[in-house]
Amino acid sequence: MSAALEMVNLAQGAKENVVGNVASIGYGLAAIGPGVGVGIIFGNGTQALARQPEAAGLIRTNQIMGFAFCEALALIGIVMGFVYQ
């Protein structure tokens, strides 16, 4: 009887481990979006600065705001892994 209980406990532990691993993989996939977004923001900002250097202050401000919003999405993604455990 104790061997059966050990098997059940082992299966439950494996299930919890798999759920944790899936949450890590999910966050890794979710971090791709903000990473691409930040690349697009700074790439297009650099092009805008090259084309219109007199608007540098406005362009930089918009870049920083876009960066902050993208990083907020990444932080929300990391928190959701803990919330839904």
Side-chain angles (χ1 to χ4, degrees), residues 33-46:
V36 169
V38 168
I40 289 171
I41 288 168
F42 284 106
N44 289 336
T46 302

Side-chain angles (χ1 to χ4, degrees), residues 3-81:
L5 288 175
E6 284 183 35
M7 291 298 288
V8 169
N9 289 336
L10 183 63
Q12 287 175 348
K15 180 181 174 187
E16 291 173 5
N17 191 19
V18 168
V19 170
N21 291 338
V22 171
S24 299
I25 291 171
Y27 175 67
L29 292 174
I32 292 172
V36 169
V38 168
I40 289 171
I41 288 168
F42 284 106
N44 289 336
T46 302
Q47 287 180 2
L49 284 171
R51 292 177 187 207
Q52 215 169 12
E54 64 273 4
L58 180 63
I59 293 169
R60 244 184 235 119
T61 302
N62 288 338
Q63 277 183 327
I64 292 169
M65 285 177 45
F67 173 76
F69 290 138
C70 282
E71 287 302 313
L73 288 175
L75 292 174
I76 288 170
I78 207 169
V79 168
M80 288 302 121

